[in-house]
Amino acid sequence: MARDNTGAEVRAAAAKIVDAVTGAGRSLDDAIAEYETSFPPADRSLLRMLGYGCIRHHWSLHGVIDRLLDRPLKKRDRIVRSLLAVGLYQLTDTRIPDHAAVSATVEAARRLQRPKHAGLMNAILRRYMRERELLAFDDEQARYDHPAWLIEILKNDWPKDWPAILAANNERAPMWLRVNRQRGGVEAYREKLAREGLEAMQLPGFDDALRLDEPVPISVLPGFDAGDVSVQDAAAQLAAPWLLDGRRGDILDACAAPGGKSAHLKEMAANSIDLTCIDVDPDRATRITDTLRRLGLDATIRVGDASKPGEAGESGAWDGILVDAPCSGTGVIRRHPDIKLLRRASDINELTRLQAAILSSCWASLAPGGRLLYVTCSVLAAENDGVVGPFLEAHSDARENDMLPNNNIRDVMRRRACGYQVLPGTAGLDGFYFACLEKVA
């Protein structure tokens, strides 16, 4: 594709991406992947910024659109509404000059075969530029850019913290790395980054983690293809040391795809553990293989449903089990803002039933004296201590080990009725829940 100096093609593609998520229920990453290969790298970055920004700020952008339209658009003009969101996002949250944003977005209407809407596009965007200081929202969805159902749950679960959680969810996530300790330590890799002009910081208590000052493509990371480093949020990096803590023997990663936590287990313990990874999705199980191969690690990988009795293994098969349970993903919204649009309140009950089934099935496969670490990337109590608490009450052979893997992480942890929660944005971390359970011998 010849490069379009106005960027109209990029705006048109961004509108298609936004429409695919808001109108067709597709995941944001899948929608971006469909269109970004048509553009050179510089334009891909802009495309991703526009797509993520419009989904991240969906409610406030569409609140503005509703205020500025004299009459609603017809259903068949849904793509026009998405393009209006793309245009407004450039004016509200980017450094793109206003005149360039308006002209490129107006031209994009023509590229979308909607030339009759070019005038409307120009009028709405210019009206916003004149009246932006007068626009305010009483509606909480528009003010906080979250669906009402999620705002209400967070108010109930986190009465003092819910505004900070919502604010953190609307920020752009930092880029955290996990250094492969088998290929050298964090300090050595930090020096490699510095030689490439990349700055990074460490966080006490997160022994393999580095946070880049600015995100970069993985192709820029020294030694990535050789397995020296992986991309993984630092909070997710707590799972392996928390489960292992000197533990050896047969270890199961029960919901393992795409394999980041599995790889960390092997990087830490090497040949002192025999690791088995299972996942219910054959395609996702293949991603575990790819992850381990790049890092030069080995494990037994199979397809299985950890929620079904016996699928996780025979009774007493495992010395340690990691249950990284399927969840709402409400702790990683800043990385996946489409969660706010694609997830429904009705999903939570179904998820908690699945989580309880996985926990029960895996517990039956844990050896006496063994350890199970229950993990979610959710901040909802129903999926966290709401699952673990009833499980502990129902199993006399289960007890919680409430010791943290190291004292340096105490400041980022919130103690719950059982287990610990990291809230999104705390020390630059994603939101994760951890509960460490041990089977009484």
Side-chain angles (χ1 to χ4, degrees):
M1 175 187 297
R3 184 181 177 94
D4 188 319
N5 290 331
T6 67
E9 293 287 357
V10 178
R11 274 73 174 182
K16 292 177 182 178
I17 289 168
V18 172
D19 183 64
V21 177
T22 60
R26 291 187 61 188
S27 81
L28 178 57
D29 286 340
D30 285 350
I32 289 175
E34 179 180 346
Y35 292 100
E36 68 177 352
T37 54
S38 300
F39 297 96
D43 285 341
R44 291 180 196 176
S45 297
L46 175 59
L47 183 67
R48 292 184 68 86
M49 180 184 72
L50 295 176
Y52 268 80
C54 288
I55 298 304
R56 185 174 284 123
H57 299 288
H58 170 82
W59 284 271
S60 60
L61 291 172
H62 286 269
V64 170
I65 291 171
D66 290 337
R67 291 278 189 91
L68 298 181
L69 283 174
D70 292 330
R71 58 179 181 273
L73 291 166
K74 297 177 180 179
K75 288 185 179 180
R76 66 172 180 267
D77 295 323
R78 195 177 68 192
I79 189 68
V80 176
R81 191 177 181 91
S82 294
L83 182 58
L84 278 170
V86 170
L88 285 169
Y89 175 69
Q90 295 171 78
L91 300 178
T92 59
D93 286 279
T94 76
R95 296 179 181 178
I96 298 170
D98 288 355
H99 69 276
V102 172
S103 63
T105 306
V106 170
E107 178 60 27
R110 300 185 178 94
R111 304 303 172 98
L112 291 169
Q113 309 303 314
R114 301 300 175 98
K116 293 182 179 180
H117 288 94
L120 173 68
M121 198 73 52
N122 184 65
I124 293 295
L125 296 180
R126 293 191 181 281
R127 183 181 172 190
Y128 173 79
M129 291 163 60
R130 295 192 304 270
E131 301 179 10
R132 70 177 83 194
E133 301 300 329
L134 304 177
L135 295 172
F137 297 106
D138 296 325
D139 174 52
E140 282 194 331
Q141 291 191 122
R143 191 185 315 149
Y144 296 113
D145 272 315
H146 280 70
W149 70 267
L150 183 53
I151 295 172
E152 289 307 308
I153 291 179
L154 291 174
K155 283 182 176 180
N156 182 71
D157 288 355
W158 300 97
K160 295 181 179 180
D161 300 288
W162 67 269
I165 294 172
L166 297 177
N169 287 349
N170 289 333
E171 295 175 355
R172 297 178 184 178
M175 187 172 184
W176 285 95
L177 307 179
R178 188 189 75 243
V179 178
N180 186 346
R181 60 174 62 189
Q182 294 189 18
R183 305 291 182 87
V186 166
E187 278 301 331
Y189 191 77
R190 192 175 183 180
E191 291 175 5
K192 289 183 181 180
L193 291 172
R195 288 196 290 271
E196 299 296 327
L198 302 174
E199 297 297 324
M201 58 83 70
Q202 293 177 257
L203 187 62
F206 298 79
D207 294 343
D208 299 318
L210 285 172
R211 175 181 171 175
L212 293 178
D213 285 4
E214 296 291 338
V216 297
I218 58 173
S219 59
V220 176
L221 298 174
F224 181 85
D225 290 338
D228 293 352
V229 70
S230 300
V231 177
Q232 185 182 44
D233 189 81
Q237 296 182 41
L238 291 174
W242 210 327
L243 175 65
L244 292 175
D245 192 24
R247 195 165 298 270
R248 299 293 181 260
D250 295 318
I251 305 295
L252 173 69
D253 189 347
C255 308
K261 296 181 183 69
S262 303
H264 197 197
L265 287 165
K266 286 297 291 186
E267 288 171 0
M268 289 193 66
N271 294 326
S272 62
I273 64 170
D274 290 319
L275 178 64
T276 297
C277 309
I278 66 173
D279 199 90
V280 69
D281 187 325
D283 291 335
R284 284 172 55 82
T286 300
R287 293 181 64 189
I288 306 171
T289 301
D290 295 340
T291 297
L292 296 177
R293 181 182 296 121
R294 180 181 66 83
L295 295 165
L297 303 169
D298 66 286
T300 299
I301 302 169
R302 61 182 178 86
V303 176
D305 186 345
S307 70
K308 295 180 178 178
E311 286 282 304
E314 62 186 23
S315 178
W318 309 107
D319 300 298
I321 301 178
L322 175 61
V323 175
D324 186 11
C327 70
S328 63
T330 46
V332 293
I333 284 174
R334 60 184 187 164
R335 297 190 186 279
H336 304 285
D338 50 337
I339 288 171
K340 295 188 287 187
L341 285 159
L342 303 181
R343 187 64 70 196
R344 298 287 182 268
S346 57
D347 296 338
I348 306 305
N349 285 339
E350 181 179 347
L351 284 166
T352 58
R353 286 193 292 269
L354 176 60
Q355 291 153 1
I358 292 173
L359 184 52
S360 179
S361 172
C362 288
W363 189 257
S365 300
L366 186 67
R371 172 176 293 175
L372 183 150
L373 187 69
Y374 177 84
V375 182
T376 75
C377 55
S378 171
V379 295
L380 306 187
E383 300 182 272
N384 297 336
D385 40 323
V387 170
V388 176
F391 175 83
L392 287 170
E393 291 178 1
H395 292 77
S396 60
D397 61 344
R399 67 181 180 191
E400 182 187 1
N401 180 336
D402 61 0
M403 297 294 292
L404 295 171
N406 68 74
N407 287 327
N408 288 324
I409 66 170
R410 189 170 300 278
D411 289 344
V412 305
M413 290 290 173
R414 301 295 188 92
R415 183 71 170 117
R416 304 301 280 165
C418 49
Y420 291 88
Q421 180 80 56
V422 181
L423 293 180
T426 303
L429 305 171
D430 285 346
F432 272 85
Y433 172 83
F434 303 88
C436 184
L437 310 180
E438 294 183 347
K439 182 173 279 191
V440 178

